[in-house]
Amino acid sequence: QSALTQPASVSGSPGQPITISCTGTSSDVGSYNLVSWYQQHPGKAPRLMIHEVNMRPSGISYRFSGSKSGNTASLTISGLQAEDEADYYCTSFAGSRGLVFGGGTKLTVL
Amino acid sequence: QVLLEQSGAEVKKPGASVRVSCKASGYTFNTYGISWARQAPGQGLEWLGWAIPYSGTSDIAQRFQARVTLTTDTSTNTAYMELRNLRSDDTAVYFCARSTTNCLGCWFDPWGQGTLVTVSS
């Protein structure tokens, strides 16, 4: 069982926005602004999409954004595109426990 | 171009050890950390630990502390992950990723291509 809770799956139509949640506790997500999001296509390595809650690395589309409220972080993808279909994982620093991952969310573009 | 190139797939018997390498290029190896994570077949990601090349130190996730050693070789810009006393549930793809040296959880970017370790009798 993963430390952070994500929905197993979300779906949306091209052009629509979707949001993936990542719920932790006051010992991880709630205490640190160190939440990252990774995209993983089948058989590939993860790719950094968002770091430190809402920072977008160079080369990542503006359609990807992150936020946090309390113990829950969120990844929003606006204007869904076919190539966004992938698995998404959140992570958070968790103090003495180190780094914890969410269980992953499969995004399907309808 | 920053690149992390990992060693090839391994097949090991229960009780054996495995060492996975991760060769870095395209950046100054000493100024970043290297983190390790694994992904069992069809499962999510799990953090193993991270190593800091310039200090030679490492921090291992508690559940792996007895079986995992992380090392780095600054002369070859290569990081290593050794996992001992292998069990069948250690079968997974093992990834390395570049990280900061002073902020675990800030980011991992980029990731290596992954190394499949299969544990089977």
Side-chain angles (χ1 to χ4, degrees):
Chain A
Q1 187 173 355
S2 300
L4 306 179
T5 301
Q6 299 181 232
S9 63
V10 298
S11 62
S13 299
Q16 287 187 329
I18 64 97
T19 296
I20 300 172
S21 62
C22 170
T23 301
T25 69
S26 58
S27 297
D28 38 64
V29 174
S31 285
Y32 307 97
N33 288 325
L34 293 175
V35 175
S36 298
W37 291 90
Y38 297 88
Q39 176 192 68
Q40 187 181 34
H41 287 107
K44 299 296 186 181
R47 178 190 184 193
L48 177 67
M49 305 304 286
I50 295 289
H51 65 97
E52 294 165 86
V53 177
N54 56 14
M55 305 292 288
R56 199 169 49 247
S58 172
I60 300 301
S61 170
Y62 68 92
R63 298 183 299 105
F64 290 84
S65 62
S67 62
K68 191 185 85 166
S69 177
N71 297 337
T72 298
S74 299
L75 173 71
T76 298
I77 309 174
S78 62
L80 209 56
Q81 297 181 0
E83 60 262 34
D84 299 333
E85 185 162 295
D87 294 327
Y88 291 83
Y89 293 91
C90 63
T91 74
S92 175
F93 180 65
S96 60
R97 290 184 293 144
L99 193 80
V100 291
F101 277 93
T105 298
K106 181 177 180 60
L107 170 62
T108 300
V109 180
L110 301 172
Chain B
Q1 177 191 5
V2 176
L3 195 63
L4 298 178
E5 188 166 1
Q6 299 184 223
S7 49
E10 303 263 11
V11 179
K12 297 291 184 180
K13 293 190 182 305
S17 298
V18 68
R19 191 173 81 154
V20 177
S21 67
C22 170
K23 185 171 176 59
S25 61
Y27 71 97
T28 303
F29 186 63
N30 263 348
T31 59
Y32 292 88
I34 294 285
S35 283
W36 291 86
R38 73 179 187 181
Q39 187 171 36
Q43 302 299 309
L45 293 157
E46 182 176 28
W47 179 70
L48 300 179
W50 69 331
I52 310 300
Y54 79 78
S55 65
T57 58
S58 64
D59 185 15
I60 313 293
Q62 187 172 11
R63 68 181 294 245
F64 295 107
Q65 283 180 356
R67 298 196 297 137
V68 167
T69 300
L70 302 181
T71 56
T72 55
D73 183 344
T74 56
S75 68
T76 60
N77 293 348
T78 303
Y80 298 92
M81 187 284 299
E82 180 186 39
L83 180 59
R84 299 176 293 278
N85 193 18
L86 289 165
R87 309 185 294 246
S88 58
D89 62 358
D90 289 320
T91 294
V93 176
Y94 289 76
F95 293 101
C96 62
R98 189 181 66 160
S99 62
T100 69
T101 58
N102 59 358
C103 175
L104 178 62
C106 277
W107 48 261
F108 296 159
D109 181 50
W111 294 55
Q113 83 276 21
T115 297
L116 175 62
V117 175
T118 302
V119 183
S120 173
S121 55

